[in-house]
PDB file of all heavy atoms in Angstrom:
ATOM      1  N   LEU A   1      43.833   5.219  34.336  1.00 98.00           N
ATOM      2  CA  LEU A   1      44.916   4.893  35.267  1.00 98.00           C
ATOM      3  C   LEU A   1      45.032   5.941  36.364  1.00 98.00           C
ATOM      4  O   LEU A   1      45.248   5.615  37.537  1.00 98.00           O
ATOM      5  CB  LEU A   1      46.239   4.778  34.498  1.00 98.00           C
ATOM      6  CG  LEU A   1      46.324   3.651  33.464  1.00 98.00           C
ATOM      7  CD1 LEU A   1      47.622   3.771  32.669  1.00 98.00           C
ATOM      8  CD2 LEU A   1      46.217   2.286  34.128  1.00 98.00           C
ATOM      9  N   SER A   2      44.890   7.200  35.991  1.00 97.00           N
ATOM     10  CA  SER A   2      44.947   8.282  36.979  1.00 97.00           C
ATOM     11  C   SER A   2      43.828   8.145  37.997  1.00 97.00           C
ATOM     12  O   SER A   2      44.045   8.275  39.213  1.00 97.00           O
ATOM     13  CB  SER A   2      44.865   9.633  36.267  1.00 97.00           C
ATOM     14  OG  SER A   2      44.847  10.696  37.206  1.00 97.00           O
ATOM     15  N   ASN A   3      42.628   7.871  37.527  1.00 98.00           N
ATOM     16  CA  ASN A   3      41.488   7.726  38.433  1.00 98.00           C
ATOM     17  C   ASN A   3      41.653   6.537  39.381  1.00 98.00           C
ATOM     18  O   ASN A   3      41.187   6.567  40.523  1.00 98.00           O
ATOM     19  CB  ASN A   3      40.196   7.544  37.626  1.00 98.00           C
ATOM     20  CG  ASN A   3      39.777   8.798  36.901  1.00 98.00           C
ATOM     21  OD1 ASN A   3      40.269   9.885  37.187  1.00 98.00           O
ATOM     22  ND2 ASN A   3      38.875   8.656  35.943  1.00 98.00           N
ATOM     23  N   MET A   4      42.335   5.494  38.910  1.00 98.00           N
ATOM     24  CA  MET A   4      42.543   4.284  39.716  1.00 98.00           C
ATOM     25  C   MET A   4      43.752   4.397  40.638  1.00 98.00           C
ATOM     26  O   MET A   4      43.970   3.517  41.470  1.00 98.00           O
ATOM     27  CB  MET A   4      42.714   3.073  38.796  1.00 98.00           C
ATOM     28  CG  MET A   4      41.475   2.717  37.994  1.00 98.00           C
ATOM     29  SD  MET A   4      41.819   1.454  36.718  1.00 98.00           S
ATOM     30  CE  MET A   4      42.285   0.048  37.734  1.00 98.00           C
ATOM     31  N   GLY A   5      44.549   5.442  40.463  1.00 98.00           N
ATOM     32  CA  GLY A   5      45.755   5.593  41.271  1.00 98.00           C
ATOM     33  C   GLY A   5      46.893   4.680  40.840  1.00 98.00           C
ATOM     34  O   GLY A   5      47.804   4.401  41.622  1.00 98.00           O
ATOM     35  N   ILE A   6      46.856   4.220  39.578  1.00 98.00           N
ATOM     36  CA  ILE A   6      47.895   3.330  39.060  1.00 98.00           C
ATOM     37  C   ILE A   6      49.088   4.153  38.591  1.00 98.00           C
ATOM     38  O   ILE A   6      48.944   5.078  37.794  1.00 98.00           O
ATOM     39  CB  ILE A   6      47.362   2.473  37.893  1.00 98.00           C
ATOM     40  CG1 ILE A   6      46.198   1.582  38.347  1.00 98.00           C
ATOM     41  CG2 ILE A   6      48.489   1.624  37.290  1.00 98.00           C
ATOM     42  CD1 ILE A   6      46.555   0.570  39.394  1.00 98.00           C
ATOM     43  N   ARG A   7      50.273   3.801  39.077  1.00 98.00           N
ATOM     44  CA  ARG A   7      51.504   4.470  38.671  1.00 98.00           C
ATOM     45  C   ARG A   7      52.501   3.523  38.009  1.00 98.00           C
ATOM     46  O   ARG A   7      53.460   3.975  37.386  1.00 98.00           O
ATOM     47  CB  ARG A   7      52.187   5.122  39.894  1.00 98.00           C
ATOM     48  CG  ARG A   7      51.369   6.181  40.591  1.00 98.00           C
ATOM     49  CD  ARG A   7      50.962   7.301  39.656  1.00 98.00           C
ATOM     50  NE  ARG A   7      52.084   7.814  38.858  1.00 98.00           N
ATOM     51  CZ  ARG A   7      51.932   8.520  37.740  1.00 98.00           C
ATOM     52  NH1 ARG A   7      50.742   8.759  37.261  1.00 98.00           N
ATOM     53  NH2 ARG A   7      52.991   8.964  37.080  1.00 98.00           N
ATOM     54  N   ASN A   8      52.277   2.213  38.152  1.00 98.00           N
ATOM     55  CA  ASN A   8      53.213   1.209  37.635  1.00 98.00           C
ATOM     56  C   ASN A   8      52.474   0.277  36.680  1.00 98.00           C
ATOM     57  O   ASN A   8      51.446  -0.299  37.048  1.00 98.00           O
ATOM     58  CB  ASN A   8      53.807   0.381  38.775  1.00 98.00           C
ATOM     59  CG  ASN A   8      54.312   1.241  39.914  1.00 98.00           C
ATOM     60  OD1 ASN A   8      55.135   2.124  39.714  1.00 98.00           O
ATOM     61  ND2 ASN A   8      53.804   0.985  41.110  1.00 98.00           N
ATOM     62  N   LEU A   9      53.002   0.111  35.474  1.00 98.00           N
ATOM     63  CA  LEU A   9      52.387  -0.768  34.489  1.00 98.00           C
ATOM     64  C   LEU A   9      53.325  -1.903  34.133  1.00 98.00           C
ATOM     65  O   LEU A   9      54.493  -1.677  33.795  1.00 98.00           O
ATOM     66  CB  LEU A   9      52.041   0.003  33.210  1.00 98.00           C
ATOM     67  CG  LEU A   9      50.709   0.764  33.178  1.00 98.00           C
ATOM     68  CD1 LEU A   9      49.535  -0.183  33.381  1.00 98.00           C
ATOM     69  CD2 LEU A   9      50.670   1.896  34.172  1.00 98.00           C
ATOM     70  N   ILE A  10      52.802  -3.113  34.227  1.00 98.00           N
ATOM     71  CA  ILE A  10      53.512  -4.314  33.790  1.00 98.00           C
ATOM     72  C   ILE A  10      53.005  -4.615  32.380  1.00 98.00           C
ATOM     73  O   ILE A  10      51.854  -5.005  32.200  1.00 98.00           O
ATOM     74  CB  ILE A  10      53.245  -5.501  34.732  1.00 98.00           C
ATOM     75  CG1 ILE A  10      53.412  -5.092  36.206  1.00 98.00           C
ATOM     76  CG2 ILE A  10      54.128  -6.674  34.355  1.00 98.00           C
ATOM     77  CD1 ILE A  10      54.772  -4.534  36.556  1.00 98.00           C
ATOM     78  N   VAL A  11      53.846  -4.409  31.380  1.00 98.00           N
ATOM     79  CA  VAL A  11      53.401  -4.435  29.985  1.00 98.00           C
ATOM     80  C   VAL A  11      53.760  -5.768  29.326  1.00 98.00           C
ATOM     81  O   VAL A  11      54.878  -6.273  29.459  1.00 98.00           O
ATOM     82  CB  VAL A  11      54.013  -3.267  29.198  1.00 98.00           C
ATOM     83  CG1 VAL A  11      53.658  -3.360  27.721  1.00 98.00           C
ATOM     84  CG2 VAL A  11      53.530  -1.933  29.774  1.00 98.00           C
ATOM     85  N   THR A  12      52.786  -6.305  28.580  1.00 98.00           N
ATOM     86  CA  THR A  12      52.928  -7.574  27.869  1.00 98.00           C
ATOM     87  C   THR A  12      52.209  -7.466  26.527  1.00 98.00           C
ATOM     88  O   THR A  12      51.448  -6.521  26.303  1.00 98.00           O
ATOM     89  CB  THR A  12      52.312  -8.733  28.667  1.00 98.00           C
ATOM     90  OG1 THR A  12      50.887  -8.488  28.796  1.00 98.00           O
ATOM     91  CG2 THR A  12      52.907  -8.836  30.063  1.00 98.00           C
ATOM     92  N   GLY A  13      52.435  -8.450  25.642  1.00 98.00           N
ATOM     93  CA  GLY A  13      51.645  -8.515  24.416  1.00 98.00           C
ATOM     94  C   GLY A  13      52.466  -8.476  23.143  1.00 98.00           C
ATOM     95  O   GLY A  13      53.657  -8.767  23.136  1.00 98.00           O
ATOM     96  N   ILE A  14      51.800  -8.087  22.050  1.00 98.00           N
ATOM     97  CA  ILE A  14      52.438  -8.032  20.732  1.00 98.00           C
ATOM     98  C   ILE A  14      52.069  -6.720  20.036  1.00 98.00           C
ATOM     99  O   ILE A  14      51.055  -6.108  20.368  1.00 98.00           O
ATOM    100  CB  ILE A  14      52.053  -9.241  19.856  1.00 98.00           C
ATOM    101  CG1 ILE A  14      50.531  -9.323  19.665  1.00 98.00           C
ATOM    102  CG2 ILE A  14      52.577 -10.521  20.453  1.00 98.00           C
ATOM    103  CD1 ILE A  14      50.086 -10.433  18.727  1.00 98.00           C
ATOM    104  N   TYR A  15      52.906  -6.271  19.155  1.00 98.00           N
ATOM    105  CA  TYR A  15      54.229  -6.777  18.804  1.00 98.00           C
ATOM    106  C   TYR A  15      55.260  -5.931  19.533  1.00 98.00           C
ATOM    107  O   TYR A  15      55.096  -4.713  19.624  1.00 98.00           O
ATOM    108  CB  TYR A  15      54.440  -6.729  17.300  1.00 98.00           C
ATOM    109  CG  TYR A  15      53.499  -7.684  16.571  1.00 98.00           C
ATOM    110  CD1 TYR A  15      52.200  -7.299  16.238  1.00 98.00           C
ATOM    111  CD2 TYR A  15      53.920  -8.976  16.254  1.00 98.00           C
ATOM    112  CE1 TYR A  15      51.352  -8.177  15.603  1.00 98.00           C
ATOM    113  CE2 TYR A  15      53.075  -9.855  15.600  1.00 98.00           C
ATOM    114  CZ  TYR A  15      51.789  -9.457  15.284  1.00 98.00           C
ATOM    115  OH  TYR A  15      50.937 -10.333  14.649  1.00 98.00           O
ATOM    116  N   THR A  16      56.333  -6.553  20.013  1.00 98.00           N
ATOM    117  CA  THR A  16      57.307  -5.862  20.858  1.00 98.00           C
ATOM    118  C   THR A  16      57.793  -4.566  20.240  1.00 98.00           C
ATOM    119  O   THR A  16      57.902  -3.536  20.920  1.00 98.00           O
ATOM    120  CB  THR A  16      58.532  -6.769  21.104  1.00 98.00           C
ATOM    121  OG1 THR A  16      58.097  -8.077  21.482  1.00 98.00           O
ATOM    122  CG2 THR A  16      59.427  -6.191  22.181  1.00 98.00           C
ATOM    123  N   ASP A  17      58.087  -4.603  18.939  1.00 97.00           N
ATOM    124  CA  ASP A  17      58.696  -3.462  18.258  1.00 97.00           C
ATOM    125  C   ASP A  17      57.680  -2.487  17.688  1.00 97.00           C
ATOM    126  O   ASP A  17      58.063  -1.498  17.054  1.00 97.00           O
ATOM    127  CB  ASP A  17      59.614  -3.955  17.133  1.00 97.00           C
ATOM    128  CG  ASP A  17      58.884  -4.867  16.151  1.00 97.00           C
ATOM    129  OD1 ASP A  17      57.955  -5.589  16.565  1.00 97.00           O
ATOM    130  OD2 ASP A  17      59.250  -4.871  14.965  1.00 97.00           O
ATOM    131  N   GLN A  18      56.398  -2.729  17.932  1.00 96.00           N
ATOM    132  CA  GLN A  18      55.376  -1.844  17.369  1.00 96.00           C
ATOM    133  C   GLN A  18      54.441  -1.340  18.479  1.00 96.00           C
ATOM    134  O   GLN A  18      54.786  -0.402  19.186  1.00 96.00           O
ATOM    135  CB  GLN A  18      54.632  -2.554  16.238  1.00 96.00           C
ATOM    136  CG  GLN A  18      55.594  -2.913  15.097  1.00 96.00           C
ATOM    137  CD  GLN A  18      54.893  -3.335  13.834  1.00 96.00           C
ATOM    138  OE1 GLN A  18      53.811  -2.873  13.498  1.00 96.00           O
ATOM    139  NE2 GLN A  18      55.524  -4.234  13.096  1.00 96.00           N
ATOM    140  N   CYS A  19      53.288  -1.957  18.654  1.00 96.00           N
ATOM    141  CA  CYS A  19      52.318  -1.436  19.624  1.00 96.00           C
ATOM    142  C   CYS A  19      52.833  -1.510  21.058  1.00 96.00           C
ATOM    143  O   CYS A  19      52.542  -0.622  21.873  1.00 96.00           O
ATOM    144  CB  CYS A  19      51.006  -2.182  19.490  1.00 96.00           C
ATOM    145  SG  CYS A  19      50.160  -1.825  17.932  1.00 96.00           S
ATOM    146  N   VAL A  20      53.577  -2.550  21.397  1.00 98.00           N
ATOM    147  CA  VAL A  20      54.131  -2.650  22.751  1.00 98.00           C
ATOM    148  C   VAL A  20      55.112  -1.512  22.997  1.00 98.00           C
ATOM    149  O   VAL A  20      55.033  -0.794  23.997  1.00 98.00           O
ATOM    150  CB  VAL A  20      54.800  -4.024  22.976  1.00 98.00           C
ATOM    151  CG1 VAL A  20      55.565  -4.042  24.292  1.00 98.00           C
ATOM    152  CG2 VAL A  20      53.737  -5.129  22.970  1.00 98.00           C
ATOM    153  N   SER A  21      56.046  -1.324  22.064  1.00 98.00           N
ATOM    154  CA  SER A  21      57.039  -0.267  22.208  1.00 98.00           C
ATOM    155  C   SER A  21      56.397   1.116  22.228  1.00 98.00           C
ATOM    156  O   SER A  21      56.764   1.973  23.042  1.00 98.00           O
ATOM    157  CB  SER A  21      58.061  -0.345  21.065  1.00 98.00           C
ATOM    158  OG  SER A  21      59.003   0.698  21.148  1.00 98.00           O
ATOM    159  N   SER A  22      55.427   1.349  21.351  1.00 97.00           N
ATOM    160  CA  SER A  22      54.753   2.646  21.321  1.00 97.00           C
ATOM    161  C   SER A  22      54.058   2.938  22.647  1.00 97.00           C
ATOM    162  O   SER A  22      54.104   4.063  23.154  1.00 97.00           O
ATOM    163  CB  SER A  22      53.727   2.683  20.188  1.00 97.00           C
ATOM    164  OG  SER A  22      54.360   2.662  18.930  1.00 97.00           O
ATOM    165  N   THR A  23      53.438   1.922  23.220  1.00 98.00           N
ATOM    166  CA  THR A  23      52.757   2.095  24.499  1.00 98.00           C
ATOM    167  C   THR A  23      53.753   2.344  25.621  1.00 98.00           C
ATOM    168  O   THR A  23      53.545   3.219  26.471  1.00 98.00           O
ATOM    169  CB  THR A  23      51.893   0.858  24.809  1.00 98.00           C
ATOM    170  OG1 THR A  23      50.929   0.678  23.763  1.00 98.00           O
ATOM    171  CG2 THR A  23      51.177   1.018  26.139  1.00 98.00           C
ATOM    172  N   VAL A  24      54.832   1.579  25.639  1.00 98.00           N
ATOM    173  CA  VAL A  24      55.866   1.760  26.664  1.00 98.00           C
ATOM    174  C   VAL A  24      56.404   3.179  26.628  1.00 98.00           C
ATOM    175  O   VAL A  24      56.541   3.850  27.666  1.00 98.00           O
ATOM    176  CB  VAL A  24      57.000   0.736  26.473  1.00 98.00           C
ATOM    177  CG1 VAL A  24      58.228   1.125  27.292  1.00 98.00           C
ATOM    178  CG2 VAL A  24      56.532  -0.664  26.855  1.00 98.00           C
ATOM    179  N   ARG A  25      56.721   3.677  25.448  1.00 98.00           N
ATOM    180  CA  ARG A  25      57.269   5.024  25.313  1.00 98.00           C
ATOM    181  C   ARG A  25      56.265   6.079  25.769  1.00 98.00           C
ATOM    182  O   ARG A  25      56.626   7.051  26.443  1.00 98.00           O
ATOM    183  CB  ARG A  25      57.699   5.269  23.864  1.00 98.00           C
ATOM    184  CG  ARG A  25      58.928   4.462  23.440  1.00 98.00           C
ATOM    185  CD  ARG A  25      59.099   4.479  21.925  1.00 98.00           C
ATOM    186  NE  ARG A  25      60.238   3.672  21.512  1.00 98.00           N
ATOM    187  CZ  ARG A  25      61.422   4.165  21.166  1.00 98.00           C
ATOM    188  NH1 ARG A  25      61.637   5.465  21.230  1.00 98.00           N
ATOM    189  NH2 ARG A  25      62.398   3.368  20.777  1.00 98.00           N
ATOM    190  N   SER A  26      55.006   5.897  25.392  1.00 97.00           N
ATOM    191  CA  SER A  26      53.974   6.854  25.807  1.00 97.00           C
ATOM    192  C   SER A  26      53.798   6.858  27.324  1.00 97.00           C
ATOM    193  O   SER A  26      53.661   7.923  27.939  1.00 97.00           O
ATOM    194  CB  SER A  26      52.637   6.517  25.129  1.00 97.00           C
ATOM    195  OG  SER A  26      52.721   6.670  23.732  1.00 97.00           O
TER     196      SER A  26
END
């Protein structure tokens, strides 16, 4: 993401309370 200049992530997928949430927090 840094190399691509990405600063904003639109997050989707499963499971909301597990991998999605962990990724969002990170």
Side-chain angles (χ1 to χ4, degrees):
L1 296 173
S2 177
N3 290 345
M4 294 170 64
I6 299 297
R7 299 303 312 161
N8 312 304
L9 276 300
I10 312 302
V11 175
T12 63
I14 58 176
Y15 294 85
T16 313
D17 55 328
Q18 298 193 33
C19 292
V20 171
S21 178
S22 292
T23 301
V24 166
R25 290 166 182 258
S26 295

